Amino acid sequence: MEMLPMLIAIVDDDPAVRESLLDLLEVSGYSAVTFASARDFLASPRIPEMHCVLLDISMPGMSGVELYKELNRRQIVVPVVFMTGHAQDGLIDEAKRAGICLSKPFVGNQLRAAIEVAVK
């Protein structure tokens, strides 16, 4: 039986970041879906299929850290890799306490390594 690729969610308010990460993940052998906001992600019926979520820390509306807390509140267990380009120090510290945090820009090897660590 053929193994399906891991499904990775990309939650980032920047369309260029979503598109470049989507391309990078697909070239790396992952399957990926994108969401422009935390609210869009929470509305997705595909959350139970997710193997990992790449989550921008600073987004309008609900931040990545707030989304992480909401997933925990709903008892949705999915590995998260936080990403930041310019988050407030407090949010970065909170994200690092919750798990893996990559600083943008990062290279493909860093992203793949972070995903592999997160899903173990």
Side-chain angles (χ1 to χ4, degrees), residues 2 7 29-30 46-47 57 62 64 66 72 78 86 111 116:
E2 185 178 331
L7 180 60
Y30 298 103
R46 297 193 70 189
I47 291 175
I57 292 175
M62 182 183 284
E66 291 168 331
N72 286 331
V78 61
H86 46 70
L111 179 61
E116 293 303 319

Side-chain angles (χ1 to χ4, degrees), residues 64-74 82 94:
V65 173
E66 291 168 331
L67 173 55
Y68 178 78
K69 289 177 180 177
E70 179 63 17
L71 291 172
N72 286 331
R73 189 188 72 72
R74 295 183 186 192
F82 291 100
E94 205 167 344

Side-chain angles (χ1 to χ4, degrees), residues 45-119:
R46 297 193 70 189
I47 291 175
E49 300 172 46
M50 304 295 172
H51 291 92
C52 186
V53 179
L54 302 180
L55 186 52
D56 187 23
I57 292 175
S58 294
M59 294 184 289
M62 182 183 284
S63 75
V65 173
E66 291 168 331
L67 173 55
Y68 178 78
K69 289 177 180 177
E70 179 63 17
L71 291 172
N72 286 331
R73 189 188 72 72
R74 295 183 186 192
Q75 298 181 334
I76 297 171
V77 179
V78 61
V80 171
V81 174
F82 291 100
M83 308 175 295
T84 185
H86 46 70
Q88 302 160 346
D89 287 340
L91 284 178
I92 292 173
D93 291 342
E94 205 167 344
K96 285 180 179 176
R97 282 191 298 276
I100 300 165
C101 186
L102 292 174
S103 293
K104 296 176 191 172
F106 45 80
V107 295
N109 289 343
Q110 291 171 306
L111 179 61
R112 287 187 294 275
I115 291 169
E116 293 303 319
V117 168
V119 299

